[in-house]
């Protein structure tokens, strides 16, 4: 197979099976060598496993991050983690793991995230669309396919920003 075909052959089963590329490559190689496959486990709904509530805490202990960014807490992880309260608590673990000399960058527009500032020993920097945040955007204007424009504020300073990106979510990402 050509290189591009080989990548597709591996990428497709990874996407639908939830297995990492390396494991899928080994499985395909084993099949080509032995003519059969023995699957040790079949992921549920295409995912290798469910998240556990303590996973973020464990990863933070290993990585020891100095900066943590929390953009939002949404129901996108309900299937893999559980109720929204559990997702919020698990995400808060990152903020709580930051050291005193660290920085927690938090979206003030999401009440669940903004409240995490109180849980952090690190300095919290709140961003959003409200002047109550430390870094905020005002006068957000869509220019259609030409992107968005807004005024970026920090303290008493302001600067006009043009992004060649579409949608309000692009403003949050830029902040």
């Amino acid at each position: 197979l050509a290189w591009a075909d080989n990548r597709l052959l591996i990428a497709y089963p990874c996407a639908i099976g939830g297995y990492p590329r390396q494991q899928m490559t080994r499985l395909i190689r084993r099949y080509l060598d032995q003519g059969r496959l023995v699957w040790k486990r079949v992921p549920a709904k295409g995912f290798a496993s469910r998240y556990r509530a303590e996973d973020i805490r464990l990863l933070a202990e290993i990585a020891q991050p100095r900066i943590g960014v929390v953009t939002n807490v949404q129901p996108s992880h309900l299937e893999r983690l559980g109720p929204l309260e559990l997702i919020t608590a698990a995400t808060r673990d990152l903020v709580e793991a930051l050291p005193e000399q660290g920085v927690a960058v938090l979206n003030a527009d999401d009440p669940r995230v903004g409240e995490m500032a109180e849980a952090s020993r690190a300095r919290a920097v709140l961003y959003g669309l409200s002047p109550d945040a430390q870094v905020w955007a005002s006068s957000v204007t869509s220019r259609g396919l030409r992107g968005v424009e807004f005024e970026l504020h920090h303290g008493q300073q302001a600067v006009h920003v043009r992004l060649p990106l579409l949608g309000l979510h692009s403003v949050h990402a830029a902040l």
Side-chain angles (χ1 to χ4, degrees):
L1 293 174
W3 182 80
D5 296 329
N6 190 10
R7 276 189 51 158
L8 180 61
L9 179 68
I10 293 171
Y12 182 72
C14 289
I16 63 169
Y19 289 94
R21 183 183 54 79
Q22 295 86 352
Q23 185 175 0
M24 190 58 66
T25 302
R26 283 193 298 272
L27 288 169
I28 291 171
R29 185 172 296 130
R30 186 178 304 143
Y31 176 77
L32 293 173
D33 291 343
Q34 300 173 2
R36 64 184 182 93
L37 282 180
V38 177
W39 294 92
K40 293 184 180 177
R41 63 183 165 91
V42 177
K45 297 184 183 178
F47 293 106
S49 66
R50 285 179 56 92
Y51 293 138
R52 296 177 312 175
E54 61 273 6
D55 285 349
I56 293 177
R57 186 178 320 115
L58 175 63
L59 291 170
E61 286 175 15
I62 294 168
Q64 299 181 354
R66 292 181 300 240
I67 300 171
V69 179
V70 182
T71 57
N72 60 46
V73 174
Q74 298 293 323
S76 58
H77 296 289
L78 288 175
E79 183 177 280
R80 295 194 70 194
L81 187 55
L84 203 52
E85 294 76 23
L86 191 56
I87 296 169
T88 303
T91 305
R92 187 181 301 109
D93 286 344
L94 168 65
V95 176
E96 290 174 349
L98 296 171
E100 285 184 45
Q101 61 274 32
V103 178
V105 181
L106 305 170
N107 180 357
D109 293 337
D110 184 328
R112 292 180 197 92
V113 176
E115 292 171 358
M116 292 180 192
E118 299 169 7
S120 183
R121 296 176 295 155
R123 177 173 61 99
V125 176
L126 297 171
Y127 71 92
L129 299 179
S130 168
D132 295 333
Q134 293 158 295
V135 177
W136 78 96
S138 67
S139 305
V140 177
T141 306
S142 173
R143 299 292 182 207
L145 294 177
R146 292 180 293 148
V148 294
E149 296 182 15
F150 60 94
E151 296 296 317
L152 172 65
H153 303 270
H154 179 258
Q156 299 300 317
Q157 299 177 331
V159 62
H160 186 76
V161 176
R162 288 185 199 152
L163 293 176
L165 305 172
L166 305 176
L168 178 61
H169 64 281
S170 299
V171 175
H172 275 97
L175 292 174

